[in-house]
Amino acid sequence: MVARPIQRQIVLPVSKAFDIAWKSLRMRMGRSLLVTSGIVLALAFLSLIRNNQAMVDGMRLWIHNAASIEGQGSEFDAYRSQQIELRETLANDANVLAKSDRRTARPARWDPAPVLGSDWGSLQKELGALPVAIDSWNPATADPPAALAKLQHWIAARRKLLQIQQALAGPQSLQAMMHTHGIPTDPVEIANDNNQARWLSGLALLVAFVGILNSMLMSVTERYREIGTMKCLGALDSFIIKLFVIESLLQGMVGTVLGVGIGCGLSLTSMTLTYHGYAWKHVLWDRIIMNLVGCVVVGIVLTVAGAVYPAWRGARMQPIEAMRADT
């Protein structure tokens, strides 16, 4: 008997594999969402850790710069110069207002809210002691007549001074807040904290890889009969592998982008709620962008890598063995 030659095998294009993979994902929406949610959670955890570390390092750098650049024409030196000038202005205005308050005839109490924007109580609470007697002072009888303008100037200067004092005390306030929340600022403690962050990042990568590998194994196992049917119809091993890798790539892209975005959003929100405006004093945007890009690349690579072994295992099965599998 003469052996028949092997007929030409048809290799389907990659576009056809993409089409089949997309339809398969839509048909198994529940399983697809389960796998994707695992990727989202893992990458959100990784992105959260990396971005939190970048935000903390930015705040530490701001504190360090505030302490190291003093006396070199820095922003803080400019604040100190303004502070001295404003104190002299406040003292001069207070003297003028004190003289304008020495009147024997007192009209009805004046309401400052329409002109100054707040009542006397609110102004005292905001600015401290005022240079005029709030129970009887009235600009209509003040001497000199420009006393109201002087009072307005004094209030504006006082507010500016308080802002400057707050800015000058900002690094110490932030450092105290970081100590309260257990964030180290000492160089030795910072090194230990960075090591812990690396361990957490590695743990997040391991959890992501194991979760993806387990999900893809389950996905291949429950589709043994489908694999057997495709092989009976002439699908090559390479096409089976290509099909599962494309499915994992699509899931990985969607899950990774969502996870990284959620992690970054949670990081920025939590740091803002914890440290308020100090979190944005010195943001390392280049590092955050690198973290985002790196997390996306790592997530997609892990997803594809986690699908290679299950896809190879399913493709290596004989058609009859796959058809008999009890799934």
Side-chain angles (χ1 to χ4, degrees):
M1 182 178 180
V2 180
R4 298 178 59 184
I6 298 176
Q7 300 296 319
R8 184 172 64 89
Q9 294 176 316
I10 300 176
V11 179
L12 295 177
V14 177
S15 59
K16 190 63 177 178
F18 264 101
D19 184 54
I20 296 175
W22 174 247
K23 290 180 179 178
S24 178
L25 290 174
R26 293 179 59 185
M27 290 175 60
R28 295 173 177 80
M29 185 61 68
R31 168 63 66 180
S32 301
L33 291 177
L34 181 62
V35 175
T36 305
S37 64
I39 301 171
V40 169
L41 292 176
L43 270 298
F45 180 50
L46 177 63
S47 177
L48 177 68
I49 293 173
R50 300 300 299 168
N51 287 324
N52 275 352
Q53 191 66 29
M55 294 289 286
V56 169
D57 287 345
M59 290 188 292
R60 286 172 178 157
L61 186 60
W62 183 69
I63 293 174
H64 175 74
N65 290 341
S68 62
I69 62 179
E70 186 173 336
Q72 302 178 16
S74 66
E75 173 188 10
F76 292 93
D77 291 333
Y79 279 154
R80 288 184 175 87
S81 299
Q82 293 182 38
Q83 186 181 41
I84 295 173
E85 295 176 1
L86 285 172
R87 282 176 175 170
E88 294 177 353
T89 301
L90 288 171
N92 295 332
D93 289 349
N95 290 333
V96 173
L97 290 169
K99 293 178 180 179
S100 70
D101 197 32
R102 298 170 184 170
R103 296 296 301 267
T104 55
R106 301 289 187 185
R109 184 173 179 176
W110 177 66
D111 182 15
V115 178
L116 302 180
S118 300
D119 56 24
W120 290 121
S122 299
L123 288 173
Q124 273 192 321
K125 185 177 180 180
E126 177 189 0
L127 306 175
L130 299 175
V132 296
I134 62 176
D135 58 338
S136 57
W137 188 81
N138 192 311
T141 59
D143 184 21
L148 178 58
K150 281 290 184 182
L151 179 60
Q152 292 173 325
H153 187 266
W154 184 93
I155 291 174
R158 178 64 177 170
R159 284 173 175 160
K160 182 63 178 179
L161 178 62
L162 292 177
Q163 292 175 0
I164 291 175
Q165 290 175 340
Q166 184 179 8
L168 291 173
Q172 292 78 13
S173 300
L174 176 57
Q175 191 169 14
M177 293 173 65
M178 294 176 73
H179 279 300
T180 302
H181 292 90
I183 304 297
T185 55
D186 181 78
V188 177
E189 295 177 346
I190 291 174
N192 294 331
D193 184 65
N194 290 335
N195 290 331
Q196 292 179 2
R198 294 188 189 99
W199 277 104
L200 285 175
S201 299
L203 179 62
L205 290 174
L206 180 62
V207 170
F209 182 72
V210 172
I212 293 167
L213 180 61
N214 179 67
S215 298
M216 294 308 300
L217 278 171
M218 293 297 296
S219 178
V220 172
T221 301
E222 69 180 10
R223 297 168 63 182
Y224 277 162
R225 292 186 179 179
E226 180 182 338
I227 293 173
T229 302
M230 287 191 294
K231 298 194 74 171
C232 289
L233 294 174
L236 302 178
D237 291 353
S238 59
F239 181 79
I240 301 295
I241 295 175
K242 189 185 304 181
L243 188 64
F244 282 101
V245 169
I246 290 174
E247 286 188 17
S248 67
L249 178 63
L250 294 175
Q251 291 175 311
M253 291 175 63
V254 175
T256 297
V257 172
L258 287 176
V260 170
I262 291 173
C264 181
L266 289 176
S267 173
L268 297 179
T269 302
S270 63
M271 296 301 287
T272 301
L273 293 176
T274 303
Y275 299 103
H276 311 294
Y278 293 125
W280 301 92
K281 288 293 185 180
H282 191 81
V283 182
L284 304 176
W285 288 113
D286 54 342
R287 183 170 163 186
I288 290 178
I289 293 174
M290 290 180 60
N291 286 338
L292 295 178
V293 174
C295 287
V296 170
V297 173
V298 167
I300 294 176
V301 170
L302 286 180
T303 305
V304 175
V308 170
Y309 171 71
W312 175 84
R313 179 182 173 184
R316 294 285 295 174
M317 295 182 68
Q318 295 298 322
I320 189 64
E321 179 185 354
M323 294 294 291
R324 288 177 178 175
D326 184 14
T327 58

